[in-house]
Amino acid sequence: MKKIIRWFRRLFPRFQTKLLIAFLLCTVIPLGIISFVSYSVSRSIAWDKTMDASILAGDQLHVQLSARIRQAENVADALQFKMYTLESANEQKLSTYMDTITQLRNDISLYLSTFDIYQICVFLKDENFGSNEGLYFYPLSRLDLLGVSRQDLESLGASSLWLYRLQIETPFILSSNKKTDSIICSRALFNQGSGQLDYAYFILMDTAEFSNMLTTAFANTDTCGYLAMPDGTVIASSDPALYSRKLSPDLMQRLSDCKTPYFFYEGSYIHAAVLDNGWYQITDIPKSYVTGSTVVLLRTILIALLSALSVTVLVILLISRNLSVRIHTLSEAMEAFRLNPNLPSYEPLTVPKPDDPSLYDEIDMLGLTFEQMQAAIQNNLKSILELSLTEERLKYQLLQSQINPHFLYNILGSVKTCQSLGKLDVADRMISDLTRFYRLTLHKSNDLILLRDELEIATLYLNMEKLCHNNNLDWEIRLESGIENFLICKFTLQPFLENCILHGISAQTPNIRIQISAVYGDDTVIIKISDNGAGIPAEKLKELRQSLKSRTVNYEKHFGVCNVNTRISSEHYGSGHIEIESIPYKYTCIRIEFAQMEGDQIIGLPERIEN
């Protein structure tokens, strides 16, 4: 026994043995449970689906059969009125009676063709004119042609009597003399005063029609459907062997007492429904048909389980051995490069190991090496993060430094224009405002400043622009309470205000009104800058939106807007975004949204403004 264990350990190293056992346990047990649950659930679903499908087919057929029976009842109702008219005309002139019976004959012909009825037979008093016509009209003395007696009809009243007759001879049909099995809807008028039968009429339907409906409904299945009278006689069936058989009294009693959708009887599930004429429509679902699908399912699951287990055991053997070798190699590699600071780590982790180092396996050695490497990685990670922050700050300052010369160039151009036009007082005032502007911005040396200060810078800029445009510039600032105390990137508003003025003023829009609002969002600050200027053409607006989406800075196009977008989208400066909407010569709206940042998040050294 010891030799076997030693051979087994030699063939499978310690770690691989543990891995192999773990893999087998973690694979075989879940596979067994999943297979058992899958079979149970699938069997239940398959059983329910099969039963539901058969019952649904039976219910749909019930609707068709009931509709066909109601159709015959409707024809009988229509004939009731016609027969009443004919009976009244019998007491009038012969010509009136002839016209009435002719109209009735035409109506019967129409009903036969319209409703696809096999035949309609009207039985009149023997002395009535036309009672021996032989096509549609017959004397009451020949009721035996349909196997009906006067006693069968005397108690009908206004209701119908449904009959089933075998091999009725139909010499009265013009097209043939064949015999057929028929389902008959009967109506009659019994005169209480004279105690005689005034008339009777019968609507005949071929039983083959109903059998065809049953056969079509249950085609390609083992389910059988049939119609039965209250006495148990089968009058139509999808199985010819059941035709004209009589059901057992026990089954008929079960049908009348059943309160559930189906019941089990002699190896079959029976689903029954009562038709409008009181007959039973029965769906016979064999148990073998219901369970047949589950047998296939069980066989499929067993084959799949055995195949999966065989493949799984083989794969586990290969993977466990391969994994053991790989982990051992990885351990040696980590030991060789344990002082290499190139691997990231979020927080120090420890790997549980035995107290006795002699019991260490490859995983334990890997854990020991991993702990040593983490210490070095953690120290270097702090340095990397500090360098990343410094790099981000430098990138921001570079973008900001690019916008200052751009702004200064435009303002100095405006000053030069005023001097050329002889507006020296305006130029002098602009230079004074420009001095105040840069004095304020230089004192606010932080990358993030209060929104209040940013609005003050924006107001100074608007004042300068107003001097350049003959006071045809107006603006309004609306703020929600306290929102001015949040932080914003410096020089966020000025490029948008510059665009409002530079591109908004035109011959159609000589006067510009700018509205600036700041409201609270969902943990964000939302600033909107809108104007009533010339707007942005659709093609240019599409190009600008694409630049904003890609967060690129084009030094030839949309420099100011894209510069602000690049700065404000940084996670260190609000993770913001910019949206632009514009309709030419109606309005342009800039929507700037960024995270709410408190005063302690200012990047750089805070400074006090001295007036």
Side-chain angles (χ1 to χ4, degrees):
M1 186 67 180
K2 290 182 179 180
K3 289 183 179 181
I4 295 176
I5 295 174
R6 191 175 302 166
W7 175 83
F8 186 84
R9 286 182 176 178
R10 186 180 303 168
L11 184 62
F12 300 104
R14 287 183 297 167
F15 174 69
Q16 187 179 2
T17 304
K18 298 175 185 178
L19 197 61
L20 179 60
I21 295 173
F23 274 173
L24 286 173
L25 290 176
C26 293
T27 303
V28 174
I29 294 176
L31 272 177
I33 295 174
I34 291 173
S35 299
F36 175 78
V37 173
S38 299
Y39 172 72
S40 300
V41 173
S42 301
R43 180 183 180 279
S44 177
I45 293 174
W47 193 91
D48 290 339
K49 290 291 185 182
T50 304
M51 287 297 298
D52 291 345
S54 299
I55 292 175
L56 178 61
D59 291 341
Q60 291 174 342
L61 179 61
H62 178 262
V63 173
Q64 299 176 24
L65 294 172
S66 294
R68 185 60 171 158
I69 289 172
R70 284 194 301 273
Q71 197 174 70
E73 291 279 3
N74 292 336
V75 173
D77 291 337
L79 285 174
Q80 184 80 17
F81 174 76
K82 302 294 182 181
M83 292 303 300
Y84 175 79
T85 304
L86 180 64
E87 191 68 16
S88 300
N90 190 36
E91 300 175 0
Q92 301 177 19
K93 295 180 180 179
L94 179 61
S95 60
T96 302
Y97 181 83
M98 289 291 295
D99 291 339
T100 304
I101 200 170
T102 300
Q103 181 62 41
L104 178 58
R105 182 185 295 107
N106 293 337
D107 290 338
I108 291 174
S109 178
L110 178 62
Y111 293 151
L112 291 175
S113 60
T114 301
F115 299 105
D116 193 22
I117 294 173
Y118 179 66
Q119 180 64 309
I120 296 177
C121 301
V122 179
F123 288 81
L124 304 174
K125 293 178 182 178
D126 291 17
E127 63 270 20
N128 281 13
F129 182 84
S131 61
N132 288 305
E133 180 250 14
L135 178 61
Y136 300 126
F137 302 98
Y138 310 94
L140 284 171
S141 60
R142 295 301 312 278
L143 284 174
D144 59 294
L145 287 172
L146 300 180
V148 181
S149 65
R150 291 175 181 265
Q151 290 75 16
D152 296 331
L153 304 174
E154 288 177 355
S155 59
L156 277 183
S159 59
S160 299
L161 173 65
W162 284 86
L163 304 171
Y164 169 62
R165 293 292 183 264
L166 294 171
Q167 298 296 301
I168 295 178
E169 288 191 42
T170 55
F172 39 81
I173 297 178
L174 294 176
S175 59
S176 66
N177 294 323
K178 67 177 182 179
K179 296 181 179 181
T180 184
D181 299 340
S182 299
I183 296 174
I184 305 173
C185 176
S186 310
R187 293 278 183 94
L189 177 63
F190 183 76
N191 193 324
Q192 298 291 339
S194 63
Q196 294 182 351
L197 193 64
D198 288 342
Y199 62 82
Y201 55 93
F202 304 83
I203 300 169
L204 282 69
M205 293 182 289
D206 194 348
T207 56
E209 175 187 353
F210 292 85
S211 294
N212 290 336
M213 293 172 67
L214 291 163
T215 302
T216 302
F218 301 111
N220 302 321
T221 68
D222 293 336
T223 303
C224 176
Y226 48 90
L227 302 182
M229 298 176 66
D231 64 355
T233 302
V234 176
I235 60 175
S237 173
S238 61
D239 182 4
L242 295 175
Y243 188 68
S244 296
R245 283 181 54 186
K246 200 155 190 175
L247 303 179
S248 65
D250 180 49
L251 176 57
M252 297 306 299
Q253 185 63 39
R254 292 283 300 274
L255 290 174
S256 61
D257 296 340
C258 182
K259 305 297 182 182
T260 58
Y262 58 87
F263 60 90
F264 187 77
Y265 181 80
E266 292 185 357
S268 296
Y269 296 95
I270 304 298
H271 170 65
V274 180
L275 298 173
D276 291 350
N277 63 351
W279 294 356
Y280 289 100
Q281 179 228 326
I282 300 170
T283 303
D284 187 316
I285 311 168
K287 183 179 179 180
S288 59
Y289 173 67
V290 179
T291 58
S293 58
T294 62
V295 172
V296 176
L297 179 64
L298 177 60
R299 186 185 302 115
T300 302
I301 290 178
L302 287 176
I303 293 173
L305 178 60
L306 293 175
S307 302
L309 283 175
S310 302
V311 174
T312 300
V313 170
L314 180 60
V315 170
I316 287 174
L317 288 172
L318 296 175
I319 290 179
S320 62
R321 186 171 183 81
N322 182 50
L323 209 55
S324 177
V325 173
R326 290 174 58 206
I327 290 178
H328 181 71
T329 304
L330 181 60
S331 176
E332 292 180 345
M334 292 181 68
E335 178 68 21
F337 294 98
R338 61 188 178 87
L339 298 178
N340 191 325
N342 294 329
L343 297 176
S345 175
Y346 296 101
E347 60 183 21
L349 298 174
T350 58
V351 179
K353 299 177 292 296
D355 296 333
D356 187 358
S358 63
L359 299 177
Y360 283 10
D361 59 13
E362 292 89 349
I363 294 295
D364 299 325
M365 294 301 298
L366 182 64
L368 180 62
T369 305
F370 182 62
E371 291 174 6
Q372 294 172 349
M373 294 178 66
Q374 282 187 108
I377 292 173
Q378 193 69 28
N379 292 331
N380 286 284
L381 181 61
K382 294 179 181 179
S383 301
I384 293 172
L385 290 176
E386 291 176 359
L387 291 173
S388 298
L389 289 174
T390 302
E391 181 185 10
E392 186 70 24
R393 186 180 297 111
L394 290 174
K395 287 182 180 178
Y396 177 90
Q397 291 172 352
L398 176 61
L399 289 171
Q400 182 174 304
S401 67
Q402 291 170 342
I403 208 169
N404 279 327
H406 179 79
F407 162 73
L408 180 60
Y409 171 81
N410 290 336
I411 291 298
L412 291 178
S414 299
V415 171
K416 182 179 179 181
T417 301
C418 290
Q419 289 176 337
S420 300
L421 296 175
K423 299 180 180 180
L424 299 180
D425 55 335
V426 174
D428 184 60
R429 186 171 176 183
M430 288 182 63
I431 292 173
S432 177
D433 286 345
L434 182 60
T435 303
R436 288 183 58 209
F437 178 88
Y438 270 100
R439 182 171 175 269
L440 178 61
T441 56
L442 291 175
H443 276 290
K444 300 291 183 180
S445 60
N446 299 319
D447 298 333
L448 293 173
I449 63 174
L450 295 176
L451 179 58
R452 175 176 59 250
D453 296 331
E454 177 69 10
L455 290 171
E456 185 177 353
I457 294 172
T459 303
L460 280 173
Y461 170 74
L462 290 172
N463 283 330
M464 287 186 282
E465 288 290 352
K466 187 172 184 179
L467 292 173
C468 296
H469 293 88
N470 299 321
N471 294 324
N472 61 347
L473 171 64
D474 191 15
W475 65 88
E476 178 185 10
I477 300 176
R478 294 181 179 179
L479 307 177
E480 288 195 355
S481 177
I483 201 169
E484 68 277 6
N485 295 316
F486 286 108
L487 299 177
I488 187 174
C489 282
K490 188 194 295 185
F491 280 114
T492 295
L493 303 182
Q494 184 273 332
F496 295 105
L497 298 175
E498 181 179 345
N499 285 340
C500 290
I501 299 167
L502 181 63
H503 303 293
I505 296 177
S506 66
Q508 292 91 334
T509 56
N511 297 312
I512 294 294
R513 179 173 178 80
I514 300 174
Q515 293 182 331
I516 304 173
S517 66
V519 298
Y520 292 100
D522 186 9
D523 294 328
T524 60
V525 175
I526 301 174
I527 297 176
K528 290 185 179 180
I529 304 172
S530 59
D531 66 75
N532 60 344
I536 307 173
E539 189 65 30
K540 187 175 181 180
L541 180 61
K542 181 180 178 181
E543 181 181 299
L544 181 55
R545 285 173 173 171
Q546 184 62 35
S547 298
L548 292 175
K549 183 178 180 181
S550 62
R551 298 181 180 178
T552 57
V553 178
N554 189 329
Y555 290 88
E556 296 180 359
K557 293 183 179 180
H558 324 303
F559 168 74
V561 174
C562 294
N563 187 300
V564 173
N565 182 62
T566 301
R567 288 186 289 124
I568 204 170
S569 62
S570 171
E571 62 180 5
H572 299 295
Y573 300 97
S575 300
H577 63 275
I578 299 172
E579 298 175 1
I580 300 179
E581 293 183 3
S582 180
I583 297 178
Y585 302 106
K586 288 189 177 181
Y587 75 92
T588 298
C589 181
I590 313 295
R591 186 179 185 274
I592 308 169
E593 184 173 4
F594 53 91
Q596 295 177 4
M597 296 177 287
E598 302 289 347
D600 57 357
Q601 294 175 264
I602 293 179
I603 298 177
L605 297 175
E607 296 185 7
R608 180 186 300 273
I609 298 178
E610 296 181 1
N611 296 321

